[in-house]
Amino acid sequence: MTARVTLGLVLLLLQTVIYFLGPTKDTVLILICTGYFAAALSVRLMANPRPLGNTLNSQLISTLCIDMLAFAALQVAQGNNINYAPLFALPVLMASVLGSLLLAMAAAAGVTLWLLAYAAWMSLQTVGEPAAHFLQAALTGAGCFAISFLANQTATRLANVELRAQRSQLAARVQRQVNELVIESLTEGILVVDARATVRAANPAARQLLGAEHALHDGSFDVVLSDLKMGG
Protein backbone atom coordinates (compact mmCIF):
# COMPACT_ATOMS: atom_id res chain seq x y z
CA MET A 1 0.00 0.00 0.00
CA THR A 2 2.99 2.30 0.42
CA ALA A 3 3.54 2.15 -3.33
CA ARG A 4 0.05 3.57 -3.91
CA VAL A 5 0.73 6.49 -1.57
CA THR A 6 4.06 7.19 -3.28
CA LEU A 7 2.47 7.00 -6.71
CA GLY A 8 -0.33 9.33 -5.65
CA LEU A 9 2.15 11.87 -4.30
CA VAL A 10 4.25 11.71 -7.47
CA LEU A 11 1.18 12.20 -9.67
CA LEU A 12 0.02 15.12 -7.55
CA LEU A 13 3.42 16.81 -7.72
CA LEU A 14 3.63 16.19 -11.47
CA GLN A 15 0.23 17.72 -12.15
CA THR A 16 1.02 20.66 -9.88
CA VAL A 17 4.20 21.40 -11.83
CA ILE A 18 2.33 21.07 -15.13
CA TYR A 19 -0.37 23.39 -13.83
CA PHE A 20 2.06 26.17 -12.94
CA LEU A 21 4.39 25.74 -15.93
CA GLY A 22 1.89 24.78 -18.61
CA PRO A 23 0.04 27.19 -20.88
CA THR A 24 -3.41 26.02 -19.73
CA LYS A 25 -4.74 26.05 -16.17
CA ASP A 26 -6.81 22.88 -15.78
CA THR A 27 -7.55 21.87 -12.20
CA VAL A 28 -9.39 18.65 -13.06
CA LEU A 29 -6.21 16.56 -13.13
CA ILE A 30 -5.03 18.07 -9.84
CA LEU A 31 -8.35 17.23 -8.21
CA ILE A 32 -8.19 13.65 -9.48
CA CYS A 33 -4.63 13.19 -8.18
CA THR A 34 -5.52 14.79 -4.86
CA GLY A 35 -8.48 12.46 -4.41
CA TYR A 36 -6.40 9.43 -5.32
CA PHE A 37 -3.60 10.43 -2.95
CA ALA A 38 -6.07 10.97 -0.10
CA ALA A 39 -7.73 7.61 -0.73
CA ALA A 40 -4.39 5.79 -0.90
CA LEU A 41 -3.14 7.48 2.27
CA SER A 42 -6.30 6.61 4.20
CA VAL A 43 -6.05 2.96 3.18
CA ARG A 44 -2.37 2.92 4.14
CA LEU A 45 -3.04 4.34 7.61
CA MET A 46 -6.20 2.41 8.51
CA ALA A 47 -5.91 -0.91 6.70
CA ASN A 48 -4.09 -3.91 8.12
CA PRO A 49 -1.23 -5.49 6.14
CA ARG A 50 -2.39 -8.37 3.96
CA PRO A 51 -0.40 -11.60 3.65
CA LEU A 52 0.40 -13.29 0.36
CA GLY A 53 -2.13 -15.82 -0.80
CA ASN A 54 -5.41 -16.42 -2.51
CA THR A 55 -7.51 -14.21 -0.27
CA LEU A 56 -10.36 -11.93 -1.22
CA ASN A 57 -12.34 -9.28 0.62
CA SER A 58 -14.24 -6.09 -0.03
CA GLN A 59 -11.28 -3.87 0.89
CA LEU A 60 -9.10 -5.32 -1.87
CA ILE A 61 -11.86 -5.05 -4.46
CA SER A 62 -12.64 -1.45 -3.50
CA THR A 63 -8.93 -0.57 -3.68
CA LEU A 64 -8.65 -2.06 -7.17
CA CYS A 65 -11.76 -0.20 -8.32
CA ILE A 66 -10.44 3.11 -6.97
CA ASP A 67 -7.13 2.64 -8.77
CA MET A 68 -8.77 1.74 -12.09
CA LEU A 69 -11.25 4.61 -11.90
CA ALA A 70 -8.55 7.13 -10.98
CA PHE A 71 -6.20 6.05 -13.76
CA ALA A 72 -9.06 5.93 -16.27
CA ALA A 73 -10.11 9.44 -15.27
CA LEU A 74 -6.54 10.68 -15.71
CA GLN A 75 -6.30 9.05 -19.12
CA VAL A 76 -9.54 10.63 -20.31
CA ALA A 77 -8.93 14.06 -18.78
CA GLN A 78 -5.42 14.55 -20.10
CA GLY A 79 -6.29 13.99 -23.75
CA ASN A 80 -3.23 13.06 -25.81
CA ASN A 81 -0.59 14.80 -23.70
CA ILE A 82 0.49 11.98 -21.37
CA ASN A 83 -0.18 8.25 -21.62
CA TYR A 84 -1.30 6.92 -18.23
CA ALA A 85 -1.96 3.37 -19.46
CA PRO A 86 1.17 1.92 -17.77
CA LEU A 87 -0.32 2.88 -14.39
CA PHE A 88 -2.88 0.10 -14.80
CA ALA A 89 -0.08 -2.37 -14.03
CA LEU A 90 -0.42 -1.42 -10.34
CA PRO A 91 -3.97 -2.75 -9.78
CA VAL A 92 -3.19 -5.78 -11.91
CA LEU A 93 -0.15 -6.60 -9.77
CA MET A 94 -2.09 -5.99 -6.56
CA ALA A 95 -4.86 -8.35 -7.68
CA SER A 96 -2.27 -10.95 -8.70
CA VAL A 97 -0.22 -10.84 -5.51
CA LEU A 98 -2.94 -10.32 -2.90
CA GLY A 99 -5.82 -12.12 -4.60
CA SER A 100 -6.63 -15.30 -6.43
CA LEU A 101 -5.86 -16.14 -10.04
CA LEU A 102 -9.50 -15.48 -10.93
CA LEU A 103 -9.31 -11.97 -9.47
CA ALA A 104 -6.02 -11.35 -11.30
CA MET A 105 -7.53 -12.41 -14.63
CA ALA A 106 -10.61 -10.30 -13.91
CA ALA A 107 -8.45 -7.23 -13.24
CA ALA A 108 -6.48 -7.79 -16.44
CA ALA A 109 -9.72 -8.28 -18.39
CA GLY A 110 -11.20 -5.10 -16.94
CA VAL A 111 -8.12 -3.09 -17.89
CA THR A 112 -8.10 -4.58 -21.39
CA LEU A 113 -11.78 -3.85 -21.98
CA TRP A 114 -11.36 -0.28 -20.83
CA LEU A 115 -8.32 0.22 -23.06
CA LEU A 116 -10.24 -1.11 -26.05
CA ALA A 117 -13.18 1.16 -25.25
CA TYR A 118 -10.83 4.12 -24.92
CA ALA A 119 -9.20 3.20 -28.24
CA ALA A 120 -12.62 3.15 -29.88
CA TRP A 121 -13.44 6.54 -28.39
CA MET A 122 -10.11 7.97 -29.54
CA SER A 123 -10.64 6.62 -33.07
CA LEU A 124 -13.89 8.58 -33.22
CA GLN A 125 -12.30 11.75 -31.90
CA THR A 126 -9.23 11.81 -34.14
CA VAL A 127 -8.79 11.58 -37.87
CA GLY A 128 -6.55 8.81 -39.07
CA GLU A 129 -6.06 5.08 -38.98
CA PRO A 130 -7.87 3.64 -35.91
CA ALA A 131 -5.96 0.37 -36.08
CA ALA A 132 -3.00 1.88 -34.22
CA HIS A 133 -5.14 2.69 -31.18
CA PHE A 134 -6.62 -0.81 -31.07
CA LEU A 135 -3.24 -2.43 -31.60
CA GLN A 136 -1.71 -0.52 -28.69
CA ALA A 137 -4.68 -1.40 -26.47
CA ALA A 138 -4.47 -5.07 -27.44
CA LEU A 139 -0.75 -5.27 -26.76
CA THR A 140 -1.14 -3.55 -23.39
CA GLY A 141 -3.99 -5.89 -22.48
CA ALA A 142 -1.97 -8.95 -23.45
CA GLY A 143 0.86 -7.69 -21.27
CA CYS A 144 -1.56 -7.27 -18.37
CA PHE A 145 -2.72 -10.87 -18.71
CA ALA A 146 0.87 -12.13 -18.81
CA ILE A 147 1.89 -10.04 -15.80
CA SER A 148 -1.16 -11.12 -13.79
CA PHE A 149 -0.54 -14.82 -14.43
CA LEU A 150 3.19 -14.72 -13.69
CA ALA A 151 2.81 -12.55 -10.60
CA ASN A 152 0.02 -14.74 -9.21
CA GLN A 153 2.04 -17.91 -9.72
CA THR A 154 5.06 -16.36 -8.03
CA ALA A 155 3.00 -15.10 -5.09
CA THR A 156 1.33 -18.51 -4.71
CA ARG A 157 4.70 -20.27 -4.59
CA LEU A 158 6.05 -17.79 -2.06
CA ALA A 159 2.96 -18.27 0.10
CA ASN A 160 3.38 -22.05 -0.04
CA VAL A 161 7.05 -21.78 0.90
CA GLU A 162 6.18 -19.52 3.83
CA LEU A 163 3.46 -21.94 4.97
CA ARG A 164 5.85 -24.91 4.82
CA ALA A 165 8.45 -22.95 6.77
CA GLN A 166 5.91 -22.12 9.48
CA ARG A 167 4.86 -25.76 9.69
CA SER A 168 8.49 -26.86 9.95
CA GLN A 169 9.13 -24.37 12.75
CA LEU A 170 6.03 -25.57 14.58
CA ALA A 171 7.07 -29.20 14.22
CA ALA A 172 10.59 -28.40 15.47
CA ARG A 173 9.16 -26.50 18.44
CA VAL A 174 6.86 -29.38 19.36
CA GLN A 175 9.67 -31.90 19.00
CA ARG A 176 11.92 -29.83 21.22
CA GLN A 177 9.25 -29.63 23.89
CA VAL A 178 8.73 -33.40 23.70
CA ASN A 179 12.46 -34.00 24.01
CA GLU A 180 12.64 -31.70 27.03
CA LEU A 181 9.77 -33.53 28.71
CA VAL A 182 11.40 -36.89 28.06
CA ILE A 183 14.76 -35.75 29.39
CA GLU A 184 13.17 -34.19 32.47
CA SER A 185 11.38 -37.42 33.28
CA LEU A 186 14.40 -39.72 32.91
CA THR A 187 15.88 -41.26 36.04
CA GLU A 188 19.37 -41.21 34.52
CA GLY A 189 21.36 -38.01 34.93
CA ILE A 190 21.96 -36.06 31.71
CA LEU A 191 24.29 -33.11 31.24
CA VAL A 192 24.58 -31.00 28.11
CA VAL A 193 28.14 -29.64 27.78
CA ASP A 194 29.45 -27.54 24.89
CA ALA A 195 32.93 -27.50 23.36
CA ARG A 196 34.15 -25.07 26.05
CA ALA A 197 33.20 -27.51 28.81
CA THR A 198 30.32 -25.26 29.87
CA VAL A 199 27.22 -26.93 31.23
CA ARG A 200 24.25 -25.79 29.21
CA ALA A 201 21.52 -28.00 30.62
CA ALA A 202 20.97 -30.68 33.23
CA ASN A 203 17.91 -32.70 34.09
CA PRO A 204 16.66 -33.10 37.68
CA ALA A 205 18.25 -36.53 38.00
CA ALA A 206 21.69 -35.07 37.19
CA ARG A 207 21.25 -32.30 39.75
CA GLN A 208 20.21 -34.79 42.39
CA LEU A 209 23.05 -37.19 41.63
CA LEU A 210 25.78 -34.54 41.44
CA GLY A 211 24.52 -32.39 44.27
CA ALA A 212 25.98 -29.31 42.61
CA GLU A 213 22.89 -27.52 41.41
CA HIS A 214 24.35 -24.10 42.12
CA ALA A 215 27.20 -24.74 39.66
CA LEU A 216 25.20 -26.36 36.87
CA HIS A 217 23.47 -23.29 35.54
CA ASP A 218 25.82 -22.01 32.76
CA GLY A 219 28.74 -23.16 34.85
CA SER A 220 31.97 -24.82 33.82
CA PHE A 221 32.12 -28.59 33.81
CA ASP A 222 35.52 -28.34 35.53
CA VAL A 223 33.88 -26.32 38.31
CA VAL A 224 31.25 -28.99 38.70
CA LEU A 225 33.92 -31.69 38.96
CA SER A 226 35.87 -29.54 41.41
CA ASP A 227 32.76 -29.14 43.58
CA LEU A 228 32.21 -32.87 43.48
CA LYS A 229 35.81 -33.57 44.56
CA MET A 230 35.58 -31.06 47.38
CA GLY A 231 32.29 -32.58 48.46
CA GLY A 232 33.77 -36.06 48.31
Side-chain angles (χ1 to χ4, degrees):
M1 296 301 176
T2 305
R4 298 179 68 245
V5 177
T6 305
L7 178 60
L9 180 60
V10 171
L11 290 175
L12 181 58
L13 293 177
L14 175 63
Q15 295 301 328
T16 303
V17 172
I18 294 176
Y19 177 81
F20 286 105
L21 299 181
T24 59
K25 305 297 182 180
D26 189 4
T27 60
V28 176
L29 294 174
I30 295 181
L31 292 177
I32 295 174
C33 294
T34 302
Y36 177 74
F37 175 71
L41 184 61
S42 62
V43 172
R44 176 64 180 85
L45 295 177
M46 295 184 297
N48 296 323
R50 294 178 51 83
L52 298 179
N54 297 332
T55 56
L56 180 64
N57 61 9
S58 58
Q59 177 186 333
L60 178 59
I61 295 178
S62 61
T63 301
L64 297 177
C65 292
I66 290 174
D67 286 358
M68 291 183 181
L69 290 176
F71 300 153
L74 286 175
Q75 186 70 20
V76 173
Q78 59 85 31
N80 294 325
N81 297 326
I82 302 177
N83 184 18
Y84 290 96
L87 296 179
F88 287 100
L90 178 61
V92 171
L93 285 175
M94 287 181 56
S96 304
V97 174
L98 300 179
S100 61
L101 180 60
L102 179 61
L103 181 61
M105 293 292 107
V111 171
T112 303
L113 291 176
W114 186 90
L115 290 175
L116 291 174
Y118 181 74
W121 181 74
M122 288 297 296
S123 63
L124 297 176
Q125 299 295 323
T126 58
V127 179
E129 182 63 31
H133 299 288
F134 288 99
L135 180 60
Q136 183 179 0
L139 290 176
T140 305
C144 289
F145 276 103
I147 290 175
S148 62
F149 178 78
L150 294 176
N152 181 262
Q153 295 300 309
T154 303
T156 301
R157 291 184 180 181
L158 291 176
N160 292 333
V161 170
E162 183 180 0
L163 181 60
R164 287 196 295 268
Q166 291 177 354
R167 290 177 178 176
S168 299
Q169 292 177 358
L170 179 60
R173 191 180 302 111
V174 171
Q175 186 63 41
R176 184 184 63 186
Q177 293 176 354
V178 171
N179 293 337
E180 291 177 354
L181 289 175
V182 171
I183 292 175
E184 291 290 328
S185 61
L186 289 177
T187 58
E188 292 83 2
I190 297 178
L191 289 178
V192 179
V193 183
D194 60 12
R196 298 180 180 179
T198 301
V199 178
R200 293 300 181 184
N203 65 343
R207 292 187 175 93
Q208 184 177 3
L209 290 174
L210 297 177
E213 185 173 356
H214 66 281
L216 288 177
H217 182 66
D218 288 342
S220 173
F221 188 63
D222 296 334
V223 175
V224 175
L225 294 179
S226 176
D227 290 346
L228 290 176
K229 292 179 181 179
M230 293 176 61

